[in-house]
Amino acid sequence: MAKNLSDVTVKLNVEQPSVPVNMGNLAIFVKGESAKVETFSSYDDVISVHSDNDAINQVASGYFAQGDHGDKLFIITYDKLDSAAETFYGEGWEFATVVGADGSNPDEEIAALSNYINGKDERFAVTAYPATDTTVTKAEEIRSNLGNSRRTIVFANGDTQSQAFYGVGALIGAVANEVVGSVTWKFRKMGGVKPVGLNVTQIEKLHAANILTYVTKAGANQTSEGKTIGGEFIDALHGDDWVKASIETELQKLLSSSKKLTFDATGIAQIDAVVTNVLSQATRNGIIIENTETGMGKFTVTTASREDSATADISSRHYTGLSFSYTRAGAIHSVTVSGQINL
């Protein structure tokens, strides 16, 4: 795991029975001689440095063309992908794609990035293929090659790979930087992306492999689904990332700003309050479902007292007694209506 200068560790355990910054920023990985990271805030800045790589240009163009894009675009040059991803993990990107040095779509490197991020179980890998018969035919192969990853998004769009790369940037630029929890990734509109020319059967084959595409419904252009290749809803996982990052950030602020956070009821209550505030904000954002009876979010925060804490934890000044759980809000993606006609 990448080294982070933090005194807070948040572990999310997801049970499925039935604002920090940078939650919408994109990183482009590209093969090179030595590892480095570059940060850009506009498309013109990207072109001034990387005009020779069409894939980078297309992803950047799509990203910055959207009105709500993140404030940064990272271009990470790698010799070994896993090593570079680990080295630059702390730069502040939430989404990452990979392109070939020659502007191609490198399947092996995409799989490597997908595996790396899936192993972290946070953030997202994203890639795209043109919305053609070939992509439809190999849809299940694509999913298999990416290990059915719960953290990888595949977007079929455009007639060519160059257009598909534009779509990658456009998708992240249009949706990822919205208030996390306030939007689903289905039904989203983006600038510069044309609806695909596939028929319903072909689109259903893409959906069966959890590949989303771009269609027209009721006269409006929109994304056709909002799932990762592993079948998870993107907004749900993005919400989990927001909760984790927010708690880490706010608890670190508490530790850093306190003259002394005492290992007693007072200090523990302050930790409890920070986590409760984050989960309350997550409820307002739409990440956590609201209890209609109480008007509060469906979450719980539990703390252990000093007396119930291990002696070793007290002596090492390491508090491990807080835990929390919450119920995701979810979203409605389809509707069935029953009607009756009286004669």
Side-chain angles (χ1 to χ4, degrees), residues 17-298:
S18 33
V19 130
V21 295
N22 306 326
M23 298 303 288
N25 286 345
L26 174 65
I28 303 173
F29 283 77
V30 61
K31 182 78 171 180
E33 294 182 359
S34 59
K36 65 177 180 178
V37 61
E38 301 164 288
T39 306
F40 301 93
S41 57
S42 73
Y43 176 62
D44 288 341
D45 290 343
V46 174
I47 288 296
S48 68
V49 179
H50 292 280
S51 60
D52 58 340
N53 189 307
D54 180 67
I56 289 176
N57 293 341
Q58 289 299 321
V59 174
S61 178
Y63 181 74
F64 286 114
Q66 313 308 310
D68 294 322
H69 64 75
D71 60 351
K72 296 177 183 176
L73 176 72
F74 300 93
I75 296 181
I76 298 174
T77 303
Y78 67 90
D79 179 23
K80 295 182 179 179
L81 194 147
D82 284 8
S83 177
E86 192 76 4
T87 299
F88 302 118
Y89 197 76
E91 290 295 325
W93 45 271
E94 173 74 6
F95 296 83
T97 191
V98 58
V99 301
D102 58 356
S104 63
N105 195 24
D107 287 338
E108 290 186 10
E109 285 83 351
I110 291 168
L113 179 64
S114 174
N115 291 337
Y116 174 83
I117 289 180
N118 197 54
K120 291 288 189 183
D121 200 23
E122 62 182 12
R123 307 191 184 185
F124 297 87
V126 57
T127 189
Y129 295 87
T132 60
D133 291 340
T134 300
T135 298
V136 172
T137 300
K138 68 174 187 178
E140 286 296 338
E141 179 185 340
I142 291 171
R143 176 162 69 167
S144 177
N145 288 344
L146 295 174
N148 203 30
S149 170
R150 70 193 296 264
R151 286 282 179 172
T152 300
I153 303 165
V154 180
F155 184 33
N157 74 100
D159 298 323
T160 65
Q161 186 59 54
S162 180
Q163 292 174 359
F165 280 135
Y166 179 96
V168 165
L171 177 66
I172 304 306
V175 189
N177 206 48
E178 295 282 351
V179 173
V180 180
S182 69
V183 296
T184 174
W185 287 60
K186 188 176 181 180
F187 315 118
R188 301 280 68 81
K189 179 179 175 60
M190 60 197 77
V193 179
K194 295 181 180 179
V196 299
L198 302 175
N199 59 42
V200 173
T201 300
Q202 291 172 312
I203 292 172
E204 287 176 346
K205 287 182 178 178
L206 292 177
H207 286 176
N210 293 321
I211 296 173
L212 60 127
T213 187
Y214 201 61
V215 299
T216 301
K217 291 183 181 179
N221 299 336
Q222 57 195 272
T223 50
S224 65
E225 249 306 342
K227 294 181 179 180
T228 68
I229 201 79
E232 299 268 6
F233 287 104
I234 302 167
D235 64 298
L237 295 180
H238 204 200
D240 293 345
D241 286 359
W242 187 95
V243 169
K244 181 177 185 291
S246 294
I247 290 176
E248 288 175 346
T249 300
E250 295 306 314
L251 283 179
Q252 186 65 56
K253 287 180 181 178
L254 174 65
L255 292 170
S256 301
S257 63
S258 300
K259 289 185 176 181
K260 184 177 183 179
L261 192 65
T262 52
F263 206 128
D264 58 11
T266 300
I268 293 169
Q270 289 178 268
I271 296 172
D272 184 314
V274 166
V275 175
T276 299
N277 285 340
V278 169
L279 297 180
S280 296
Q281 183 63 55
T283 303
R284 292 190 290 272
N285 289 358
I287 296 171
I288 297 174
I289 195 168
E290 184 178 291
N291 186 323
T292 55
E293 295 181 359
T294 65
M296 304 293 289
K298 284 191 175 182

Side-chain angles (χ1 to χ4, degrees), residues 7-11 251 255 261-264 267-268 271-272 275 301-324:
D7 303 298
V8 181
T9 300
V10 177
K11 298 178 180 179
L251 283 179
L255 292 170
L261 192 65
T262 52
F263 206 128
D264 58 11
I268 293 169
I271 296 172
D272 184 314
V275 175
V301 181
T302 304
T303 55
S305 66
R306 178 188 173 99
E307 291 70 27
D308 291 330
S309 299
T311 302
D313 285 345
I314 296 173
S315 63
S316 64
R317 301 190 172 192
H318 183 55
Y319 183 70
T320 61
L322 187 143
S323 61
F324 65 90

